[in-house]
């Protein structure tokens, strides 16, 4: 330890030196680490006194000084010190209540580790960002998610469980202020997810994306995310050759990942009632073992202790379905990119269900009928053009002729409803609703549930008896499943 660090260590003292009325030395150590955290988050100028004092603390408690290096990722620290990896898991979740005195030394250790994760994620700097820097931030964000007790990617994907967050907001009493233990941020999970997404989006915007895509090695380091997909969709017309091929590969990867998640949600519940007029398929997975045993009990041989089976029984899996038409209208203006991606993928999944006729329309100031590609979200997204104004009347002109049988038609309209000709559009929507078609206005079907809706439309849809769905995409999946069964 250097002489300067030794002086700081002497000033902080040891736990045995703390007498009555004197703050515990570990409390002082923890305060130093948190003051450094706050200083670095809110001030670009380095505070030499806090830096040297924090270094003394970290070395005193046996942690590597790399924890204080802003250029070192959590991955690099863990690679050099693999014994630290388990300590990051659940680092910022509430500690179990224990009888007796607090373990202040353990709290200092947790504060040092928590400070590293928080600074790497939330002090994202400024200026141009390289693909390597973005990949490093995404890796640090995964460690942060693990520290909150989530799976890597769970918060940025919007799939964090609100149940973890508890009923209230704020921070646990055990994690308040600079003088408390390592912060318990688990109650803030619903707010942290969107914030992480916002930081990631900012990093992507600061990249020289075209140059990165033109280099296969750099492009391979990119991790598909909603913010990255948005940038690719906005810039796809300016790409060619290798850059365009790499962009398409990234979009395809993201589409496939989200499709798998949404398909699972769609298939969780069954569609339609059992159709017993259709004989069950005689395959092993449909074999009804309990019924087979029950029906053949008269063939039981006590002497041989054997059951002779005369007939096998199978479960019915075919279901009654009525041909339904699903018309999805999506606002492709810049503010709705998340909904555009999610709903395009969702439409393709429903297009694969039996007896569901899916039509897809995208619009800004012009409308585009994407129905021929509705089964392939990748091809659909490549044909969209994000940005521009919003005029839903042009989309309604395409949608209304498709409503041939209103009772068997559902119209899903996804937009923030900040429209130019709002009264004219609402009147046509009300007419669709009164015709007997199921009209579902959707304010946002994002992964995170974020989104705003024009209050003028929200109130009128409520009076119409068709309240706006706003929130997680699972809500829309539930509504569509209810209608299509």
């Amino acid at each position: 330890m250097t002489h300067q660090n030794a002086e700081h260590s002497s000033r902080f003292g040891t736990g045995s030196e703390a007498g009555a009325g004197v703050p515990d030395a570990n409390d002082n150590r923890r305060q130093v680490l948190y003051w450094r955290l706050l200083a670095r988050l809110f001030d670009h100028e380095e505070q030499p006194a806090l830096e040297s004092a924090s270094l003394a603390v970290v070395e005193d408690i046996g942690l590597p000084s790399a924890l204080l290096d802003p250029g070192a990722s959590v991955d690099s620290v863990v690679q050099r010190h693999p014994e630290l990896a388990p300590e990051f898991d659940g680092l910022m979740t509430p500690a179990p209540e224990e009888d007796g005195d607090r373990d202040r030394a353990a709290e200092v250790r947790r504060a040092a580790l928590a400070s590293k994760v928080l600074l790497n994620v939330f002090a994202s700097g400024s200026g141009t960002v390289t693909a390597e820097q973005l990949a490093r931030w995404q890796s640090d964000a995964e460690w942060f998610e693990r520290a909150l007790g989530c799976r890597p990617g769970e918060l940025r994907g919007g799939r964090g469980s609100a149940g973890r967050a508890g009923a209230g907001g704020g921070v646990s009493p055990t994690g308040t202020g600079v003088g408390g233990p390592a912060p318990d941020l688990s109650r803030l999970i619903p707010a942290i997810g969107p914030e992480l997404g916002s930081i990631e989006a900012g990093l992507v915007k600061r990249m020289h994306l075209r140059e990165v895509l033109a280099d296969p090695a750099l492009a391979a380091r990119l991790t598909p995310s909603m913010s990255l997909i948005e940038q690719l969709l906005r810039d796809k017309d300016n790409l060619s050759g290798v850059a365009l091929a790499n962009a398409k590969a990234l979009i395809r990867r993201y589409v496939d990942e989200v499709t798998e998640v949404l398909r699972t949600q769609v298939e969780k519940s069954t569609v339609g009632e059992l159709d017993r007029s259709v004989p069950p398929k005689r395959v092993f997975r449909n074999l009804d073992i309990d019924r087979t045993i029950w029906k053949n009990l008269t063939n039981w041989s006590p002497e041989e202790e054997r059951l002779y089976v005369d007939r096998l029984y199978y479960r019915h899996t075919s279901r009654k379905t009525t041909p339904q038409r699903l018309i999805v209208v999506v606002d492709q203006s810049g503010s709705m990119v998340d909904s555009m991606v999610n709903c395009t993928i969702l439409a393709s999944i429903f297009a694969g269900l039996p007896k569901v006729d899916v039509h897809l329309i995208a619009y800004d100031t012009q409308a585009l009928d994407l129905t021929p590609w509705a089964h392939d979200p990748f091809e659909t997204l490549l044909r969209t053009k994000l940005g521009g104004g919003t005029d839903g009347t042009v989309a309604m002109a395409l949608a209304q002729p498709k409503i041939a049988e209103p009772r068997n038609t559902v119209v899903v309209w996804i937009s923030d409803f900040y429209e130019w000709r709002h009264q004219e559009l609402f009147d046509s929507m009300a007419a669709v609703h009164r015709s007997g078609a199921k009209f579902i206005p959707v304010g946002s079907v994002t992964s995170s549930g974020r989104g705003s809706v024009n209050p003028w439309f929200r109130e009128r849809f409520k009076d119409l008896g068709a309240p706006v769905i706003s929130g997680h995409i699972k809500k829309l999946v539930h509504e569509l499943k209810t209608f299509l069964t």
Side-chain angles (χ1 to χ4, degrees):
M1 184 184 298
T2 65
H3 175 68
Q4 183 184 29
N5 292 343
E7 288 181 348
H8 283 294
S9 178
S10 174
R11 186 177 68 188
F12 294 134
T14 63
S16 60
E17 294 172 355
V22 179
D24 185 277
N26 286 315
D27 287 340
N28 291 337
R29 292 187 174 106
R30 189 174 57 249
Q31 282 186 336
V32 166
L33 293 172
Y34 283 146
W35 279 120
R36 174 184 178 270
L37 169 63
L38 294 174
R40 278 195 166 270
L41 283 174
F42 297 106
D43 189 351
H44 297 300
E45 295 294 327
E46 183 178 290
Q47 304 295 322
L50 285 175
E51 293 297 323
S52 58
S54 297
L55 178 61
V57 170
V58 166
E59 291 183 343
D60 277 352
I61 61 178
L63 287 174
S65 58
L67 286 174
L68 302 179
D69 179 2
S73 66
V74 178
D75 259 346
S76 66
V77 174
V78 169
Q79 285 172 4
R80 282 178 277 175
H81 306 274
E83 72 280 359
L84 294 180
E87 295 190 55
F88 284 101
D89 288 325
L91 177 68
M92 299 179 193
T93 55
E97 295 289 339
E98 295 182 0
D99 296 332
D101 295 334
R102 288 161 38 197
D103 187 347
R104 287 176 167 82
E107 290 175 2
V108 177
R109 190 176 182 90
R110 291 182 66 205
L113 297 174
S115 294
K116 177 60 178 173
V117 178
L118 290 169
L119 277 176
N120 279 27
V121 171
F122 291 100
S124 54
S126 59
T128 303
V129 174
T130 65
E132 184 175 358
Q133 288 173 322
L134 176 63
R136 187 177 68 184
W137 182 90
Q138 290 171 329
S139 172
D140 287 331
E142 289 181 357
W143 282 104
F144 178 54
E145 288 165 322
R146 289 172 58 171
L148 290 172
C150 301
R151 295 185 302 275
E154 186 174 2
L155 290 184
R156 284 168 293 146
R159 297 182 292 276
S161 171
R164 282 194 195 92
V171 182
S172 163
T174 62
T176 57
V178 174
D184 166 22
L185 301 180
S186 60
R187 291 191 176 187
L188 299 178
I189 283 179
I192 289 175
E195 184 62 29
L196 287 179
S198 177
I199 295 174
E200 185 175 37
L203 292 171
V204 170
K205 288 180 180 179
R206 287 157 48 193
M207 292 178 64
H208 287 164
L209 193 55
R210 295 180 195 175
E211 288 81 354
V212 172
L213 291 171
D215 186 331
L218 292 177
R221 296 179 183 176
L222 293 174
T223 302
S225 63
M226 179 57 70
S227 50
L228 178 60
I229 297 307
E230 177 179 355
Q231 295 303 311
L232 293 176
L233 292 176
R234 291 184 186 280
D235 204 35
K236 66 181 186 298
D237 293 337
N238 299 315
L239 302 175
S240 61
V242 174
L244 181 59
N246 286 329
K248 288 183 175 180
L250 286 165
I251 295 172
R252 173 70 77 181
R253 279 173 58 193
Y254 186 79
V255 164
D256 290 346
E257 290 172 6
V258 177
T259 299
E260 191 60 34
V261 173
L262 294 182
R263 182 178 287 115
T264 300
Q265 294 175 8
V266 171
E267 295 175 351
K268 273 183 179 178
S269 58
T270 54
V271 179
E273 298 178 357
L274 288 173
D275 187 353
R276 299 191 181 278
S277 66
V278 178
K281 287 186 178 181
R282 300 172 67 83
V283 294
F284 179 75
R285 68 174 179 270
N286 290 342
L287 180 63
D288 190 336
I289 296 177
D290 290 342
R291 189 173 179 220
T292 298
I293 293 174
W294 177 258
K295 290 289 187 178
N296 288 280
L297 278 179
T298 55
N299 298 327
W300 169 255
S301 172
E303 294 82 10
E304 300 178 63
E305 295 186 350
R306 180 171 300 190
L307 178 67
Y308 290 91
V309 177
D310 291 334
R311 179 182 173 186
L312 296 174
Y313 292 84
Y314 296 86
R315 298 184 184 89
H316 285 80
T317 55
S318 296
R319 299 183 177 274
K320 295 179 180 179
T321 57
T322 302
Q324 307 281 16
R325 175 162 290 187
L326 172 61
I327 302 172
V328 181
V329 183
V330 187
D331 176 354
Q332 65 173 352
S333 63
S335 60
M336 298 298 293
V337 59
D338 201 341
S339 292
M340 181 74 211
V341 173
N342 278 283
C343 288
T344 297
I345 294 171
L346 188 61
S348 73
I349 294 171
F350 278 100
L353 296 180
K355 298 186 178 181
V356 179
D357 180 24
V358 175
H359 294 253
L360 181 61
I361 298 170
Y363 76 97
D364 43 33
T365 55
Q366 296 180 325
L368 180 64
D369 191 344
L370 298 170
T371 301
W373 304 278
H375 66 285
D376 189 338
F378 173 72
E379 291 295 333
T380 300
L381 289 173
L382 291 183
R383 285 168 170 78
T384 60
K385 186 175 182 180
L386 301 177
T390 308
D391 185 1
T393 60
V394 297
M396 184 59 78
L398 280 180
Q400 279 182 319
K402 295 176 179 288
I403 307 175
E405 299 180 23
R407 295 292 176 184
N408 292 329
T409 302
V410 57
V411 179
V412 178
W413 198 291
I414 301 102
S415 175
D416 54 12
F417 298 100
Y418 284 94
E419 293 282 342
W420 174 44
R421 294 185 279 187
H422 54 277
Q423 187 64 58
E424 181 181 347
L425 178 60
F426 177 76
D427 289 344
S428 60
M429 291 174 168
V432 169
H433 177 73
R434 287 193 296 267
S435 73
K438 174 73 170 177
F439 184 78
I440 305 177
V442 182
S444 68
V445 283
T446 63
S447 303
S448 63
R450 297 179 77 183
S452 62
V453 178
N454 186 338
W456 188 92
F457 271 92
R458 184 187 289 277
E459 289 302 314
R460 279 155 183 78
F461 284 137
K462 185 178 179 180
D463 294 339
L464 188 65
V468 175
I469 294 176
S470 187
H472 201 280
I473 194 168
K474 287 182 180 179
K475 293 183 181 180
L476 179 57
V477 171
H478 175 74
E479 285 289 324
L480 292 177
K481 294 287 288 187
T482 300
F483 179 81
L484 295 172
T485 54

